[in-house]
Amino acid sequence: MATMKAVQYVTFGAGAEVREVEKPTPGPGEVLLKVTAAGACHSDQFIMGMPAGPENPYRLPLTLGHEGAGIVEALGPGTKNVEVGEAVLVFGPQGCGRCHACAAGNENNCENFMDAPGINHHGAMAEYMIVKDVRHLVPLGDLDPIASASLTDAGLTPYHAIKPAVTRLIPGTTAVVIGVGGLGHVGVQILKAMTSTRIVALDVSADKLAFAREVGADEAFISDEGAIAQVRALTGGRGADVVFDFVGAQPTLDLAHALVAVMGEVVIVGVAQGSIPVGYLTMKFDTSVRVVNWGTRAELMEVVELARRGAVAIHTEEFTLDQATEIYERMHAGTLRR
Ligand SMILES: [Zn+2]
Ligand SMILES: [Zn+2]
């Protein structure tokens, strides 16, 4: 039996383990990828933090990694339209491919199921992985896989958050980005590349604010009550046309609620599960609130194009597969930038 190394979540409540497992063989229509890079994500912590029991949707052992890049190594019987040796990214939120949402390209909101690598089936944190359909492979060309693997989530999710707001972010408008971490710093770059709005970054960390300015923020403030006055002063009292909350906790959503302008929009990207009161006189007139879920395959192609032009770069730290356990411990302790 040929074997390979994989980073697996094996026991509910325990951390990730590096294990020797069977190297998979592609079935009909499937593709075997030799993995060139995989991203570690805070949602892996979310998966591993969920208690065991009937509510827990995960089937163990599970190879982690919903952000993956690889080289096509072998094709299953009948697999077409892809060549061995091609460099690709793996599109994560894989739907049924047949329902109306999938037909419209919104596979991330499939009406039937979400079948994501590293979440619902074995993911990219292994030497090899199976991709169930060639449509989930997005050409990477000569882009560096290590710098690009996280485009599939840390790039795609902010892109999906920002793209629908682009037409309103004309000159004279202001967009506020709350939380300039793994996704937020990409959000700043996408806003810079796709709009002419003034970008204001808010974060609790002065280091992250300096980083936000480096990647394109026009202004950067500590996200306390003072931020409300600072944004009001900048905007002649109007507030922010769009607030992107990359944290989603109660204090940041309270801030978003206070900052949004009349006819503005609050876009919730962070998964911290705070909430925002929406109602007559509790929200400014003609505002809307949107909650985002990952992104579409076409949008992933667009994000790759931005990366190819150098408009978006995800800051990464590099590790070997054997260091995976340590990465998740450091992520938990908050000492990883990404
Ligand atoms: Zn993720
Ligand atoms: Zn579907």
Side-chain angles (χ1 to χ4, degrees):
M1 180 184 86
T3 64
M4 65 170 188
K5 270 184 202 167
V7 179
Q8 290 196 323
Y9 179 35
V10 183
T11 313
F12 288 112
E17 297 174 29
V18 181
R19 299 172 90 203
E20 201 67 35
V21 300
E22 189 177 346
K23 180 183 166 187
T25 308
E30 295 181 340
V31 175
L32 179 72
L33 287 190
K34 182 166 176 45
V35 176
T36 46
C41 179
H42 282 281
S43 38
D44 298 326
Q45 298 270 292
F46 179 82
I47 293 168
M48 291 189 282
M50 200 179 247
E55 301 283 285
N56 192 312
Y58 304 109
R59 281 179 302 163
L60 306 188
L62 172 71
T63 301
L64 295 168
H66 54 272
E67 302 180 339
I71 305 279
V72 175
E73 171 89 1
L75 307 180
T79 303
K80 292 194 199 88
N81 301 326
V82 67
E83 301 288 328
V84 168
E86 188 180 342
V88 292
L89 287 181
V90 181
F91 174 70
Q94 303 172 4
C96 72
R98 297 191 63 201
C99 71
H100 187 273
C102 283
N106 303 311
E107 211 162 322
N108 54 319
N109 289 317
C110 173
E111 292 161 24
N112 292 314
F113 51 76
M114 161 89 82
D115 191 15
I119 299 173
N120 312 99
H121 63 264
H122 290 315
M125 279 206 196
E127 291 176 86
Y128 296 90
M129 75 183 289
I130 295 286
V131 177
K132 296 185 177 190
D133 192 289
V134 295
R135 79 174 189 278
H136 305 311
L137 302 177
V138 168
L140 188 57
D142 56 5
L143 282 180
D144 173 25
I146 293 168
S148 307
S150 292
L151 291 173
T152 57
D153 182 11
L156 178 56
T157 302
Y159 188 84
H160 183 68
I162 291 165
K163 189 183 175 188
V166 162
T167 52
R168 71 158 76 211
L169 292 173
I170 56 177
T173 60
T174 299
V176 166
V177 172
I178 305 178
V180 210
L183 271 67
H185 87 280
V186 184
V188 168
Q189 295 174 68
I190 293 170
L191 282 167
K192 196 82 186 170
M194 295 181 66
T195 77
S196 47
T197 196
R198 170 171 41 205
I199 305 165
V200 180
L202 304 181
D203 202 290
V204 289
S205 140
D207 281 358
K208 291 224 180 109
L209 293 179
F211 180 48
R213 285 183 186 276
E214 262 171 55
V215 297
D218 299 299
E219 307 285 345
F221 305 125
I222 291 289
S223 60
D224 55 18
E225 281 94 88
I228 299 171
Q230 279 161 311
V231 172
R232 295 226 172 277
L234 272 180
T235 56
R238 206 170 86 233
D241 298 279
V242 185
V243 181
F244 298 95
D245 185 351
F246 285 93
V247 182
Q250 200 53 55
T252 59
L253 284 173
D254 289 345
L255 196 55
H257 184 250
L259 286 174
V260 69
V262 171
M263 294 185 286
E265 186 178 18
V266 174
V267 183
I268 303 172
V269 192
V271 296
Q273 293 176 57
S275 63
I276 191 162
V278 175
Y280 204 78
L281 300 182
T282 53
M283 194 83 187
K284 290 191 191 75
F285 288 128
D286 288 302
T287 47
S288 56
V289 178
R290 182 160 52 95
V291 181
V292 308
N293 176 31
W294 215 331
T296 71
R297 198 148 47 89
E299 287 171 339
L300 179 55
M301 292 175 178
E302 291 155 25
V303 172
V304 170
E305 188 53 34
L306 285 179
R308 199 178 304 286
R309 291 188 206 168
V312 167
I314 300 182
H315 289 242
T316 52
E317 281 189 60
E318 204 174 320
F319 298 92
T320 65
L321 209 58
D322 291 305
Q323 290 172 293
T325 314
E326 175 201 332
I327 301 173
Y328 285 114
E329 279 163 7
R330 280 188 54 196
M331 194 182 273
H332 195 61
T335 61
L336 273 189
R337 182 180 262 182
R338 162 70 206 150

